[in-house]
Amino acid sequence: MRPASVSDYRELARRRLPKIFFEYIDGGSYAEATLARNVADMEAIALRQRVMRDMSKLDMSVVSLGQAFSMPIGLAPVGMAGMYARRGETQAARAAAAAGIPMCLSTVSLCSLEEVAATGTPPWFQLYVLKDRGFMRDLLGRAKAAGCPALVFTVDLPTPGARYRDVRSGFTGSSGLSGALNQAWGGITHPAWLWDVWAHGRPHTLGSVAAAVEGKGRVTDYLSWIARNFDRSVTWKDLDWVREVWDGPIVVKGVLDVADARDAVKAGAQGLVVSNHGGRQLDGVRSSISALPAIAEAVGSDLEVYMDGGVRSGLDVLKAMALGAKACFVGRAWAYALGAGGQAQIDRMLGTLRSELAVAMILTGCANVRDAGRELLDLGA
């Protein structure tokens, strides 16, 4: 199949990846109501078609936190992407650099931040706070030394959400001989993945935090390690602690409430990501796109407002821009593309998003994406 949309990359990834890894990308928490809302609420927003305007010149570029984006899209942090394609995070970093957009590296990536930075374009770095603050101080120092231009402090994972698909697939709760057999069967029945990732994509460890992980278990054991080691005591005061080591921009990720957004401003953040973690944490909360307008209106003049969740096309990007986002970060879209065939497929997927955004801009009469506002939406639909 020649992929034409994000849903096509999803299907290709489903075919190529062992079930445990596809379900980990694709699933959400509990009944996946919020996961569904992210997509459905975005689809329900209608664009306002306009005609007979000079659309011969389009400008998709934005500048945020001192960095130029060729289009208002970035790659969101995705955990364990190195299990979807060989050294997957480095492939994603090269694709982002080629497209002229930022990539944010997950704390729980297989490739270390130094390995990804060595591609030539240091990533934004996502920070989860572990209980071992001495290790965290060292990790922040490493991010600074690697030249990471922004720190994305993710605040909505004091504990992992319950993801039923991961239990059913054997990604979690499957140990001993049954767990080993489950992984072996997944590899044997997906030979292209087995050759690319299992045989030639090692080491299969969480590169940036490998020194903090006890022992050398299966990669699927790391979720239980996360549950034991992520720090539930983190508050807004901890941004002061981060600032002792990190002097660059801080973006707070995982905000859905206006009051929390205002607290991010008070804490001195330079940006925030309106996000429900892709529907992977607290199920039953609102979609990211429905939370975006009020947050952007309340704090958009004080810091940069981004969003993620439910972005499946360039049309969705323009909708989010019209509702106050400075840019959108896509997660599943690039994870599906990576799982479908590595950097080449991410390159193609980003080209699709760019083309879709161009069509949306032309047919709504928006020549400059930085001018996008609610006039682009048909609010009576």
Side-chain angles (χ1 to χ4, degrees):
M1 178 176 66
R2 183 178 175 85
S5 67
V6 169
S7 62
D8 291 341
Y9 292 103
R10 177 185 181 275
E11 175 58 21
L12 289 176
R14 186 191 67 79
R15 296 177 189 178
R16 181 176 176 273
L17 298 178
K19 184 175 181 179
I20 60 171
F21 295 116
F22 174 75
E23 296 289 0
Y24 178 73
I25 295 171
D26 197 55
S29 62
Y30 299 93
E32 301 186 348
T34 296
L35 172 61
R37 280 177 193 161
N38 277 347
V39 176
D41 288 356
M42 185 72 82
E43 289 178 345
I45 298 170
L47 292 167
R48 182 185 179 198
Q49 182 169 307
R50 304 301 302 275
V51 298
M52 300 299 286
R53 303 202 171 193
D54 182 0
M55 292 288 112
S56 58
K57 296 181 180 179
L58 295 182
D59 188 348
M60 298 183 186
S61 65
V62 297
V63 176
S64 187
L65 300 183
Q67 184 170 350
F69 297 37
S70 70
M71 57 181 171
I73 295 172
L75 302 189
V78 172
M80 293 188 285
M83 296 306 296
Y84 316 149
R86 183 188 314 186
R87 312 313 290 163
E89 292 90 359
T90 62
Q91 294 197 55
R94 292 189 181 100
I101 62 174
M103 178 243 191
C104 182
L105 182 68
S106 172
T107 297
V108 290
S109 61
L110 261 68
C111 298
S112 70
L113 64 91
E114 290 87 359
E115 181 179 352
V116 175
T119 63
T121 305
W124 294 21
F125 185 64
Q126 178 207 35
L127 179 70
Y128 288 131
V129 177
L130 306 182
K131 294 176 182 177
D132 185 342
R133 293 304 178 91
F135 179 82
M136 296 311 301
R137 183 179 292 274
D138 291 343
L139 183 59
L140 285 169
R142 288 166 56 196
K144 183 177 179 180
C148 297
L151 186 72
V152 180
F153 190 177
T154 300
V155 296
D156 60 353
L157 207 156
T159 188
R163 300 168 192 167
Y164 295 157
R165 280 209 234 179
D166 290 343
V167 175
R168 295 175 186 128
S169 73
F171 193 96
T172 59
S174 178
S175 59
L177 180 60
S178 65
L181 290 174
N182 183 52
Q183 281 199 48
W185 179 250
I188 291 168
T189 54
H190 296 83
W193 174 89
L194 186 70
W195 178 258
D196 181 47
V197 177
W198 195 255
H200 296 97
R202 294 177 180 274
H204 295 154
T205 58
L206 302 184
S208 295
V209 296
V213 179
E214 310 95 336
K216 296 181 179 179
R218 298 172 302 139
V219 70
T220 52
D221 293 333
Y222 291 136
L223 290 183
S224 59
W225 174 82
I226 288 169
R228 295 192 305 271
N229 286 277
F230 277 26
D231 192 346
R232 300 185 191 182
S233 72
V234 175
T235 69
W236 293 109
K237 292 181 180 179
D238 286 284
L239 262 71
D240 294 334
W241 172 80
V242 171
R243 282 285 184 208
E244 293 177 6
V245 183
W246 179 264
D247 57 5
I250 295 176
V251 177
V252 175
K253 180 178 183 292
V255 176
L256 284 179
D257 191 276
V258 169
D260 287 337
R262 290 184 174 129
D263 284 341
V265 174
K266 293 176 184 176
Q270 284 70 51
L272 65 82
V273 184
V274 178
S275 173
N276 53 37
H277 216 99
R280 295 166 66 80
Q281 282 299 96
L282 180 60
D283 198 27
V285 299
R286 68 190 310 172
S287 65
S288 296
I289 195 65
S290 69
L292 172 63
I295 290 175
E297 183 176 352
V299 303
S301 61
D302 297 315
L303 43 61
E304 301 283 52
V305 176
Y306 314 107
M307 70 86 63
D308 70 20
V311 180
R312 299 291 188 269
S313 71
L315 281 68
D316 294 340
V317 173
L318 190 62
K319 292 173 184 180
M321 298 287 285
L323 290 173
K326 187 65 175 281
C328 292
F329 282 81
V330 297
R332 284 186 177 88
W334 78 260
Y336 292 146
L338 180 68
Q343 180 183 340
Q345 295 288 31
I346 301 177
D347 290 339
R348 185 189 297 271
M349 183 275 296
L350 290 173
T352 297
L353 293 185
R354 188 185 300 275
S355 297
E356 291 169 343
L357 177 58
V359 169
M361 291 172 64
I362 291 168
L363 294 179
T364 57
C366 178
N368 188 323
V369 76
R370 298 186 297 279
D371 296 332
R374 294 198 182 202
E375 71 282 352
L376 302 183
L377 306 178
D378 187 347
L379 299 177

